Amino acid sequence: MTRLRFNRRTPSHGRVVDGARLLQVAGPEALEVHARTVAVGGHLATTLVVTGYPAEVTPGWLAPLLNFPGHLDIALHIEPVPNPVAAAGLKKQRARLESGRRHGFDRGHLDDPEVEAAAADAADLAYRIARGEGKLFHFSLYLTVHAPDEETLAEQAAAVRAVAESLLMTVAPTTYRALPGWLATLPLGIDTLKVRRTFDTAALAACFPFTSPDLPITTSTDGAASGVLYGLNTASGAPVMWDRFSQDNYNSITLARSGAGKSYLTKLELLRLLFTGATASVIDPEDEYVRLAETVGGTVIALGADGVRLNPFDLPTAAGGDGGEDVLTRRVLFLHTFLAVLLGAELTAAEKALLDTALLATYTRVGITADPRTWRRTPPTLTDLAAVLAENGSQAAAALGDRLAPYTTGSHAQLFNGHTTTPATGHLVVFALRQLTEEVKAPAMLLALDAIWRQVTCRAEHGRHLVVVDEAWLLMRDGAGAKFLFRMAKAARKYWTGLAVVTQDADDVLTSDLGRAIVSNAATQILLRQAPQAIDTISENFHLCQGEREYLLAAGRGEALLLTGDRRHKAALISVAAPGEHEVITTDPGELAAQDTFPGTDDRYDDGPLGSSAGAGWES
């Protein structure tokens, strides 16, 4: 257990601290002071003072101390230095350094690299303070180790010293100052030791261990830290920041059993990415993202509702989006895939040849040919394809026409037969598929994915875009759908787009070659609680150790294991949402019923953390 104290104080002069008075109110029942230790009640404590720091550090470099497994209190005392005082001190320091340099030059000595570096740093800092770009601070760092007996205390203190020295810090015990050392790490905001160093703003900011040491620090093009908050590290409580758009590819795979919180975590990342200016599109089979879209002003396309339709024959709105390739040919190839999924079976070679000819003839009938100037004309519909097949006169064409009848004149004609009614445009577009029957959900998902892909490849303003496919097992169980998802995973990076595949059925993803290929093309891999029946497959494909395997079996709702594609970095985390975020993204039946927004009793609405305390309350 590690406790961290931040004490920022205003300058005080001649302040006398009465330790007995402080302990009289809420102190321990007994206190015994030794040379280097303090017996506080029934346990011992010793304090280490950091007296030396490394020359260069990175953000979050103190995080290993925060993750120390023993009972360790860490106190950082920060006291700002007024700018006039800082400027005067730097002026004197620069004068001393310059005097030393000139004295050595007059005596014919070679330049001292350390003096030269110190002079350059002092000059740079002085100019930054003069321009108001930084400040100086008095900084103190103390470490108090607790243990039940002297032997354990010595071992724990040696372990803390080893961690500190591995960070290139120099530590010293508070010999004959054990009581002031212990008081300095209490939440009193009083520096009773005053062993200080002077830090500038950048160096002080790097001392805050508010990053997870298990993951690399991601930065944007201007060098600033990037990414969104995924949650808190389950071991240390430190925030876990991750930026999928700074990885080799921007794809992710999220696997979990039902109710583990996978959709909750996905919606949380999606919402925070929208705050950073990214855009997103979502395939939502259970209408779990509708409230989120309505809250942030997104577009909801409820396929299956009256008057809502997507035309599979639509061509991209901008021909230049595919690099000058034959858009018509690519569209015909997609229609082969779509019709195979729609009809529920792979077509024979003869049927494919017949269908290819019929598709080209259908486009030709409305004036769309290989000439790019014709691609902006009104596209045909399934009714036009059925008419071309009927005019063919062959038995195979008649059979294909009969199989298309439910979607041209039958019960599903409203969904697939006709021109597109709602354009898929906006900063967040959600394709809500809850109203669809299971028989048409897979082809509707494929059609929605195609509409998203056309918008991604043909958008005028390029920027970060996230495509979320929730309950992807509905599409992965179909071979043609899995192929389309695989092609999107391979090509999305070229358009600054990430594909987030979310599913609860690991077998549909990991037992097929296409599924494993999608996983291998995901630089971000998130595993939540797994069922015992699936853990062997998960462990084998993600190369989990025994501890990680047991963690996934016992993980609570919202607890996840974040892996990077190269397997070198990983972090255990728990998703945390602010109360406002939680209200938007939760699908807990009890909470929605209390808000009078629950659309009906359905056990599919169980994928978020339980209770309103799952937002801010998860920090405890």
Side-chain angles (χ1 to χ4, degrees), residues 391-449:
E391 294 173 1
N392 183 276
S394 66
Q395 185 176 358
L400 276 177
D402 292 339
R403 295 171 65 183
L404 284 175
Y407 310 103
T408 56
T409 59
S411 56
H412 302 307
Q414 179 183 353
L415 177 62
F416 300 110
N417 187 27
H419 297 292
T420 299
T421 58
T422 306
T425 56
H427 63 283
L428 174 61
V429 180
V430 174
F431 291 87
L433 312 180
R434 183 184 177 89
Q435 300 185 48
L436 297 175
T437 61
E438 291 298 325
E439 292 78 13
V440 297
K441 189 162 287 189
M445 288 180 70
L446 182 61
L447 195 58
L449 271 176

Side-chain angles (χ1 to χ4, degrees), residues 321-574:
D322 288 317
E325 298 182 13
D326 189 347
V327 173
L328 180 61
T329 301
R330 294 171 63 86
R331 196 63 193 165
V332 169
L333 293 176
F334 165 75
L335 286 170
H336 279 281
T337 301
F338 170 74
L339 291 173
V341 176
L342 186 67
L343 300 177
E346 285 290 337
L347 301 177
T348 64
E351 289 174 332
K352 289 182 179 179
L354 175 62
L355 186 60
D356 190 73
T357 303
L359 289 171
L360 290 174
T362 302
Y363 276 108
T364 302
R365 175 170 293 189
V366 296
I368 298 177
T369 63
D371 187 351
R373 293 174 296 179
T374 65
W375 293 345
R376 293 186 177 275
R377 294 176 178 173
T378 303
T381 62
L382 281 178
T383 297
D384 299 317
L385 175 61
V388 171
L389 290 173
E391 294 173 1
N392 183 276
S394 66
Q395 185 176 358
L400 276 177
D402 292 339
R403 295 171 65 183
L404 284 175
Y407 310 103
T408 56
T409 59
S411 56
H412 302 307
Q414 179 183 353
L415 177 62
F416 300 110
N417 187 27
H419 297 292
T420 299
T421 58
T422 306
T425 56
H427 63 283
L428 174 61
V429 180
V430 174
F431 291 87
L433 312 180
R434 183 184 177 89
Q435 300 185 48
L436 297 175
T437 61
E438 291 298 325
E439 292 78 13
V440 297
K441 189 162 287 189
M445 288 180 70
L446 182 61
L447 195 58
L449 271 176
D450 171 72
I452 291 173
W453 187 245
R454 284 187 280 114
Q455 290 298 320
V456 167
T457 56
C458 301
R459 53 185 172 158
E461 297 182 0
H462 292 284
R464 296 179 303 167
H465 190 84
L466 180 65
V467 178
V468 178
V469 182
D470 207 342
E471 302 297 346
W473 61 272
L474 293 169
L475 199 59
M476 294 294 298
R477 64 186 178 183
D478 185 272
K483 290 179 181 178
F484 187 89
L485 208 59
F486 172 67
R487 288 195 296 269
M488 180 179 288
K490 295 280 286 185
R493 184 181 182 277
K494 297 188 298 182
Y495 302 98
W496 209 0
T497 298
L499 175 65
V501 177
V502 184
T503 183
Q504 64 184 19
D505 200 333
D507 289 339
D508 283 334
V509 176
L510 300 177
T511 57
S512 65
D513 294 337
L514 286 174
R516 287 191 294 269
I518 292 175
V519 172
S520 65
N521 280 279
T524 303
Q525 301 166 356
I526 303 173
L527 304 177
L528 291 93
R529 185 171 183 175
Q530 301 295 325
Q533 296 80 1
I535 193 62
D536 290 334
T537 304
I538 296 289
S539 300
E540 178 182 356
N541 285 273
F542 290 92
H543 307 288
L544 302 181
C545 65
Q546 185 63 28
E548 294 165 344
R549 173 190 173 105
E550 296 300 325
Y551 173 79
L552 293 180
L553 287 174
R557 181 174 292 184
E559 294 182 345
L561 186 64
L562 174 62
L563 310 174
T564 58
D566 55 10
R567 304 297 198 276
R568 290 181 298 174
H569 304 284
K570 57 189 71 176
L573 61 94
I574 180 170

Side-chain angles (χ1 to χ4, degrees), residues 127-180:
Y127 282 114
R128 284 194 285 116
I129 290 177
R131 292 192 297 265
E133 297 177 357
K135 291 177 64 68
L136 290 186
F137 301 86
H138 290 314
F139 176 80
S140 305
L141 177 58
Y142 309 125
L143 315 171
T144 296
V145 187
H146 299 261
D149 53 66
E150 291 186 5
E151 183 179 354
T152 305
L153 183 64
E155 294 177 354
Q156 292 291 305
V160 171
R161 182 188 293 270
V163 174
E165 291 177 349
S166 70
L167 299 175
L168 302 181
M169 292 190 299
T170 304
V171 297
T174 54
T175 306
Y176 297 112
R177 302 186 68 186
L179 179 59

Side-chain angles (χ1 to χ4, degrees), residues 109 125 179 233 240 290 317 345 362 394 526 556 614:
H109 295 167
L125 182 57
L179 179 59
N233 191 300
V240 177
V290 172
T317 56
T362 302
S394 66
I526 303 173

